[in-house]
Amino acid sequence: MSKILVTGAAGFIGFHLSGKFLARGDRVVGLDNLNDYYDVNLKLDRLKQLEPVDGFRFARLDLSDRRDILSLFENEKFDYVVNLAAQAGVRHSITNPYSYIESNISGFINVLEGCRHNAVKHMVFASSSSVYGASTRMPFSVHDNVDHPVSLYAATKKSNELMAHTYSSLYGLPCTGLRFFTVYGPWGRPDMALFLFTKAIKEGRPIDVFNYGKMRRDFTYIDDIVNGVVKLIDHLPEPDPAWSGARHDPASSFAPYRIYNIGNNNPVDLETFIAVLENRLGKKAVKNLLPIQPGDIPATYADIDDLEREIGFRPSTTIEYGIGKFVEWYNQYYCRA
């Protein structure tokens, strides 16, 4: 049994991950600031599923509050930390840039400092497929350079990777960064396409389909993501003896540091995704076809060879099953008496 800090515990991935850790017998401190980026009631309802479980404690804190975060680390003495808290959203970062610096940069350094000074065994943190930016080389590989982000959100996630490597190098802090690929499923975020499409189709409103429906995404079901993270938490990164500064590998290091993609390894075009959703809803969508938005990536496709080789992880959930489970949850959650 370990004591694990999960930041962003009232968020989509953090909620599911906390439940998985608790189910295997770990103690979890779930941290969240419950901001209003999207419906706070949804976050509170997620927490209501966790709070009765033995071993869970909720801490309402903001990562950017240095004094409170460092105090939490000193008092709790965590074995492991999974940092999922961040200001999310590619498009939101274009109109609200400062919130990304406060949460994703200032907040992240506070987590690193807490880990450094309190003998945390392993810090796992959320990066994003958005760091691949302008790259068109498919599938996206962690061994390729990612120095051309096209949104501030992506830039902050790449910054997190660099900051974590610095602490791993200077202080020997084992750090693993995970580039998530379009996570979806029950209790998902209301700003994500599946949620927006479902709500609009059920209400008879048109859906906005960007890049004229020619987007391709490596949609990854939440259970697959959570299973991968749980396997990784106990898989501490080690220095790569073959690493060379002359021909360096961005995914590994001379320090205890690794970067992995965690995606479905099976990109699906948006038109197919919508067709599956229409089938599950039993209703056709009215499509408002629009050009690609600033900051968006036309396609994502995860190379997960490293993850499969090192921890035996390979997602297995089809979009038919995953979308079906989301629709089932959506109907139950929003049709309550």
Side-chain angles (χ1 to χ4, degrees):
M1 182 175 66
S2 300
K3 179 183 272 192
I4 304 173
L5 172 65
V6 176
T7 74
F12 173 35
I13 301 175
F15 157 67
H16 284 279
L17 183 61
S18 296
K20 189 75 171 182
F21 282 138
L22 291 166
R24 75 170 195 171
D26 295 313
R27 291 174 294 160
V28 174
V29 174
L31 180 151
D32 207 290
N33 66 357
L34 298 177
N35 68 34
D36 61 358
Y37 171 63
Y38 63 80
D39 184 11
V40 175
N41 289 321
L42 178 58
K43 299 179 181 182
L44 293 173
D45 284 342
R46 291 178 184 137
L47 285 176
K48 286 178 184 177
Q49 312 298 308
L50 296 172
E51 288 177 324
V53 182
D54 288 342
F56 181 80
R57 184 173 79 79
F58 177 61
R60 184 170 184 175
L61 296 174
D62 194 301
L63 284 190
S64 63
D65 189 327
R66 181 170 62 180
R67 179 178 296 177
D68 283 352
I69 295 302
L70 295 184
S71 176
L72 178 72
F73 272 87
E74 290 169 3
N75 292 333
E76 296 288 350
K77 301 301 180 187
F78 301 110
D79 296 303
Y80 301 100
V81 171
V82 182
N83 185 63
L84 302 172
Q87 178 57 60
V90 168
R91 295 163 191 166
H92 189 70
S93 69
I94 294 172
T95 54
N96 298 273
Y98 289 104
S99 63
Y100 288 76
I101 302 303
E102 292 164 4
S103 178
N104 301 8
I105 303 297
S106 297
F108 194 72
I109 195 66
N110 290 338
V111 173
L112 285 170
E113 280 288 288
C115 291
R116 169 198 171 192
H117 289 291
N118 293 280
V120 168
K121 297 175 184 176
H122 188 193
M123 187 187 82
V124 176
F125 64 96
S127 185
S128 167
S129 61
S130 67
V131 300
Y132 289 101
S135 176
T136 57
R137 181 175 176 176
M138 298 286 177
F140 290 153
S141 171
V142 291
H143 303 289
D144 291 339
N145 180 281
V146 288
D147 283 343
H148 295 86
V150 294
S151 70
L152 182 63
Y153 171 69
T156 63
K157 288 299 185 178
K158 175 61 189 294
S159 298
N160 288 170
E161 295 179 4
L162 298 175
M163 294 163 72
H165 182 268
T166 301
Y167 270 64
S168 184
S169 172
L170 287 174
Y171 309 114
L173 174 65
C175 291
T176 298
L178 301 177
R179 293 174 180 169
F180 293 132
F181 280 69
T182 317
V183 188
Y184 74 102
W187 295 95
R189 279 173 28 206
D191 63 322
M192 298 294 283
L194 179 57
F195 200 113
L196 293 170
F197 289 170
T198 299
K199 188 173 190 295
I201 293 170
K202 286 179 71 67
E203 294 174 358
R205 295 183 292 104
I207 61 173
D208 289 338
V209 182
F210 294 101
N211 203 29
Y212 306 104
K214 303 305 178 185
M215 307 283 270
R216 287 175 62 80
R217 287 288 179 268
D218 210 351
F219 295 102
T220 313
Y221 190 61
I222 184 61
D223 288 359
D224 290 327
I225 289 286
V226 166
N227 289 336
V229 176
V230 170
K231 283 191 172 187
L232 273 168
I233 196 75
D234 299 317
H235 183 79
L236 273 64
E238 297 181 353
D240 180 0
W243 195 90
S244 166
R247 294 183 304 277
H248 64 273
D249 176 5
S252 64
S253 176
F254 55 88
Y257 171 88
R258 286 302 304 268
I259 294 290
Y260 296 100
N261 287 332
I262 183 163
N264 202 41
N265 189 231
N266 182 31
V268 174
D269 66 80
L270 193 55
E271 291 175 336
T272 300
F273 191 77
I274 293 169
V276 173
L277 177 59
E278 289 173 327
N279 179 264
R280 290 297 184 268
L281 291 172
K283 190 174 183 180
K284 285 290 184 180
V286 178
K287 301 172 188 175
N288 182 26
L289 300 178
L290 297 168
I292 194 168
Q293 291 205 129
D296 274 355
I297 300 174
T300 64
Y301 179 9
D303 178 339
I304 59 168
D305 287 352
D306 288 9
L307 209 56
E308 184 172 22
R309 181 177 62 254
E310 296 185 26
I311 65 166
F313 170 84
R314 175 162 286 278
S316 59
T317 306
T318 65
I319 60 164
E320 288 79 10
Y321 176 85
I323 290 176
K325 295 302 288 185
F326 174 82
V327 170
E328 181 182 306
W329 167 79
Y330 185 96
N331 287 335
Q332 181 181 38
Y333 182 78
Y334 286 101
C335 296
R336 295 174 299 177

